[in-house]
Amino acid sequence: LLCFVVLCVAVSARTKNPTMFGLAIGSCITCGVNAIGAVSGGALNPAVAVGIATGHRFGDGSLGAAAIFGLTELVAAGAAAGVFGFTHAVDKQSDKLESAA
């Protein structure tokens, strides 16, 4: 969800909103941390999740769980990019028209 929101409010020429993108991204992060905080400690970044797991590995943690978590986030980011590409095809068309001109 975070990837999709960032792509929509900060990247897309059609849906870009420079006055509200901070609020939209911040709200998405707040909701995400509250939703997955008990599972991952609020890590929305695979690198952070691996760092936390590595630190816990020296105690009693598992790197396998971090690998699965990171892979899941990467797959979800790919899905978000795919949905963005499908729903914002207008941006691709306008890019082609601008480059042709």
Side-chain angles (χ1 to χ4, degrees):
L1 181 63
L2 177 60
C3 292
F4 185 73
V5 169
V6 170
L7 288 170
C8 287
V9 300
V11 176
S12 173
R14 187 165 190 216
T15 58
K16 184 185 276 188
N17 188 344
T19 59
M20 298 300 282
F21 73 88
L23 179 64
I25 294 170
S27 297
C28 186
I29 290 173
T30 301
C31 291
V33 168
N34 284 322
I36 65 168
V39 176
S40 70
L44 295 173
N45 183 337
V48 172
V50 170
I52 291 170
T54 303
H56 283 108
R57 178 76 174 125
F58 295 110
D60 214 13
S62 168
L63 287 178
I68 292 170
F69 182 75
L71 183 63
T72 302
E73 286 190 341
L74 292 174
V75 169
V83 169
F84 177 80
F86 180 73
T87 59
H88 288 77
V90 175
D91 287 334
K92 290 181 185 178
Q93 291 171 355
S94 65
D95 288 342
K96 287 179 185 178
L97 291 175
E98 288 175 6
S99 64

